[in-house]
DNA sequence: CTGAAAGCGCTAACAT
DNA sequence: ATGTTAGCGCTTTCAG
């Protein structure tokens, strides 16, 4: 089972390696040569070595996906969507987990090693160091998430502002006027954007009482811990907007333990519309941020940039859609159809 | 930002490429040479090209993980565990999704292209074709899941027999004597093993009534559809053993819709102990099959085989542990501590 | 300790 | 249409 090289195939077919290569790659060659080479290759069990091809061609046919936390359902959904596009285009997908902010910088720097032709990066925190590394990146790169507006990169992002507006408007329409926002860590990109969105959305309404708490993490446990003191008081809010579904489920658990009835005494909403939101009772009203669409868009954008390195930077914004469930409404569940996504070219100059 | 090669570094340092290579790789070289080369490399921003190194060294420092369904929480958990081990060992992780059985065969065949140094494969169905491909694989390979006993491969597997025994014994101890098994597709490896386990476990008890249904898939929707006709009859079972948590949640939903109280009128159990089981109400009693441990063990096993290709085939079996929740018991939740895993060498000859 | 040179397996000029 | 040859960027003999 030792490695079979194209030299052996050529020898067996009685032609030069060049002819063998051409025949195998469907380039110009006589029918007879093609037949001989094909046969020889089959008999020997030849498969071209990917590394040698990469070195010669200058492309690896590999793309990378770097994400802070594999295991988070949202990133998994994106990953699955990315994998679909990537493998359909003949590329392989490389996965890296970038726990800390600095390790995502490392990943970007490491791109110089040339083991991928492009990278999709989903950073949890955007530091100046990371922006500098991005600007210096030697290969195409798409950022999944919000960047400073000044940065000219290909980007796919959710619309947190609209998302929070959908949620707040829905709660206000349902008669809730005392709304608490339970965020995750505010120094993360999603934390920052959702906070901003909540504030802007609340500002649209008169006579609203709002409060803000940061859970220590985007998890059920952190959501529970943050909600407990918030809900265990006489002047507790009548609605809680959680920054993601996990926190939202934590809030539901806290309410349950405190004997607070949802939605009668308290409405709760989440963000991301994960399977959890659907499975929990009462079902958790949530805004779908379009993880699948974002993943697909990012992968397609990366392929487009690889195909045309000169094209201007694009920013695709995936619109959110509200899915109403029992945690915020006594009536039947409903969902809005997702609007079309928005693709903008970055003006140059 | 054009590619910097070792030749340029050598030129700048005023040494030969050979010396530059040696200095960079910590091989034998004078302190002065090392200093000059290091400086030149830093100034030029040199990073060694991974592809060229791979070609020369004959190793890619890449490992693959091929799985039928990314997105299934269990495989995600394994993947996360694998990624941790792999990246800690200086390897990169490549992900492939093998929807169909034949595509997993393709993945194994494609290994001849040499883009990874080893592969972890988690096949949903084991066909003769796949076994043949495995036997012919040119690189180290670990199978996550059950194989025919005759096959001499490195394998990591769950102990479905014990798992089903834990569940059935628990239900019987709780006084349930009419137990239905809602399986996923029986022609899959997990489906087959869990079915077998359920039958064996039931055989340990006298006067047990059992029934078997196959859901069309390991999903909530399929579990719901399978459970509805089973539960909507006067002689419905007093307990349902679901082949995984998703099906289990489907069963809970069906019971809910039929107005059947869990656990008073019906006990339900799942398999995998995913986050879903914890979050659902009542909590779903489930057997943890040790996805994380299996992932870690598989990755370590693969690295061990790469380090020593001659070592005998190992089979690691990860023991299950039962986590009792409200869906099968009115009393407080409880979990057994996980026993140690079992590592056997395959006898040769 | 260092440099020259070979060569990993393949593709792409270039010449025929 | 085919063969010869160079070379992708690197590591590793082999002389010196």
């Amino acid at each position: 089972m030792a490695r079979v090289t194209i030299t052996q195939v050529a020898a067996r077919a009685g032609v030069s390696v060049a002819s063998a290569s051409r025949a195998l790659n469907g380039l110009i060659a006589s029918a007879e040569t093609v037949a001989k080479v094909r046969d020889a290759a089959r008999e020997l069990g030849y498969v071209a070595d990917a590394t040698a091809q990469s070195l010669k061609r200058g492309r690896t046919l590999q793309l990378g996906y770097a994400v802070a936390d594999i295991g988070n359902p949202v990133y998994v959904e994106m990953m699955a969507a990315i994998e679909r596009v990537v493998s359909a285009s003949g590329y392989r997908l490389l996965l890296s987990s970038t726990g800390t902010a600095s390790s995502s910088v490392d990943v970007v720097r490491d791109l110089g090693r040339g083991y991928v032709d492009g990278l999709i990066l989903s950073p949890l925190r955007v530091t100046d160091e990371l922006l500098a590394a991005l600007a210096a990146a030697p290969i195409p790169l798409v950022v999944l998430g919000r960047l400073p507006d000044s940065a000219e990169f290909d980007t796919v992002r959710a619309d947190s502002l609209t998302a929070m507006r959908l949620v707040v408007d829905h709660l206000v329409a349902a008669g809730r006027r005392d709304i608490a926002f339970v965020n995750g860590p505010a120094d993360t990109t999603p934390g920052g954007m959702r906070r901003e969105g909540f504030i802007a959305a609340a500002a649209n309404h008169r006579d609203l009482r709002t409060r803000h708490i940061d859970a220590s993490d985007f998890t059920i446990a952190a959501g529970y811990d943050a909600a407990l003191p918030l809900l265990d008081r006489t002047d507790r809010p009548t609605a809680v907007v959680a920054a993601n579904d996990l926190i939202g489920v934590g809030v539901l658990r806290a309410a349950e333990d405190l004997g607070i009835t949802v939605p009668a005494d308290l409405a709760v909403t989440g963000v991301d519309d994960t399977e959890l939101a659907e499975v929990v009772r009462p079902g958790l009203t949530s805004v779908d941020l379009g993880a699948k669409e974002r993943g697909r868009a990012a992968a397609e954008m990366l392929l487009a940039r690889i195909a045309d390195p000169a094209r201007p930077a694009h920013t695709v914004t995936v619109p959110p859609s509200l899915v109403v469930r029992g945690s915020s409404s006594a009536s039947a569940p409903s969902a809005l159809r997702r609007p079309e996504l928005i693709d903008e070219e970055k003006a140059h100059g």
Side-chain angles (χ1 to χ4, degrees), chain A:
Chain A
M1 283 309 299
R3 169 154 286 315
V4 179
T5 71
I6 198 172
T7 310
Q8 300 171 37
V9 174
R12 175 157 192 139
V15 299
S16 71
V17 287
S19 291
S21 173
R22 283 185 293 249
L24 259 6
N25 290 307
L27 300 183
I28 186 166
S30 73
E32 192 194 340
T33 301
V34 170
K36 284 191 296 185
V37 171
R38 278 227 187 307
D39 289 350
R42 182 167 338 110
E43 290 161 20
L44 262 33
Y46 170 79
V47 258
D49 183 83
T51 307
Q53 285 184 321
S54 296
L55 182 59
K56 182 67 200 178
R57 292 178 167 157
R59 334 178 293 144
T60 59
L61 289 183
Q62 297 186 159
L63 300 179
Y65 175 48
V67 61
D69 172 27
I70 339 175
N72 181 318
V74 179
Y75 294 129
V76 170
E77 205 178 329
M78 286 181 183
M79 183 185 72
I82 291 170
E83 199 277 337
R84 223 164 294 137
V85 175
V86 164
S87 69
S89 307
Y91 284 81
R92 293 182 292 269
L93 183 65
L94 243 119
L95 191 67
S96 10
S97 172
T98 62
T100 61
S102 72
S103 80
S104 77
V105 173
D106 291 343
V107 167
V108 175
R109 293 229 176 98
D110 215 34
L111 258 28
R113 306 213 45 201
Y115 54 85
V116 287
D117 298 337
L119 179 78
I120 297 172
L121 178 69
S122 190
L124 197 52
R125 291 180 173 81
V126 177
T127 61
D128 288 344
E129 200 187 2
L130 179 60
L131 285 172
L134 292 179
I139 57 160
L141 199 138
V142 172
V143 175
L144 217 32
R146 181 71 59 150
L147 286 182
D149 288 340
S150 57
E152 297 217 343
F153 298 112
D154 285 325
T155 305
V156 175
R157 59 196 192 188
D159 182 353
S160 300
L161 257 63
T162 302
M164 299 316 279
R165 190 168 50 67
L166 287 174
V167 161
V168 170
D169 288 359
H170 162 69
L171 289 172
V172 171
R176 315 283 171 157
R177 312 207 62 83
D178 186 348
I179 305 179
F181 176 54
V182 180
N183 198 3
D187 65 330
T188 59
T189 311
M193 293 311 300
R194 287 167 202 188
R195 178 191 153 82
E196 202 177 298
F198 178 82
I199 292 174
N204 287 334
H205 300 278
R206 306 231 149 266
D207 302 324
L208 221 54
R209 173 171 183 195
T210 63
R211 336 180 193 191
H212 297 252
I213 308 185
D214 288 359
S216 63
D217 205 350
F218 287 102
T219 60
I220 295 178
Y224 182 91
D225 292 343
L228 221 41
L230 173 72
L231 300 180
D232 192 17
R233 41 192 294 171
T234 47
D235 73 330
R236 64 160 187 261
T238 55
V240 170
V241 171
N244 78 347
D245 284 355
L246 292 167
I247 293 176
V249 170
V251 174
L252 287 179
R253 288 291 158 268
E256 181 180 55
D257 286 358
L258 292 170
I260 300 171
T261 308
V262 175
D265 299 338
L266 180 76
V268 182
T269 64
V271 171
D272 283 336
D273 191 36
T274 58
E275 187 158 57
L276 243 46
E278 202 177 323
V279 135
V280 123
R281 284 298 172 270
L284 180 66
T285 291
S286 190
V287 212
D288 182 354
L289 256 29
K292 206 190 324 183
E293 288 77 6
R294 281 181 284 157
R296 187 169 44 71
E300 285 169 353
M301 196 181 260
L302 184 56
L303 291 170
R305 167 143 317 280
I306 288 173
D308 174 16
R311 80 179 213 145
H314 280 235
T315 295
V316 165
T317 304
V318 176
S321 66
L322 182 70
V323 182
V324 176
R325 298 199 180 85
S327 70
S328 71
S329 159
S331 47
S334 79
L336 272 56
R337 214 175 45 118
R338 172 180 305 289
E340 294 302 303
L341 48 77
I342 302 159
D343 184 351
E344 308 173 89
E345 279 189 13
K346 202 90 180 183
H348 273 294

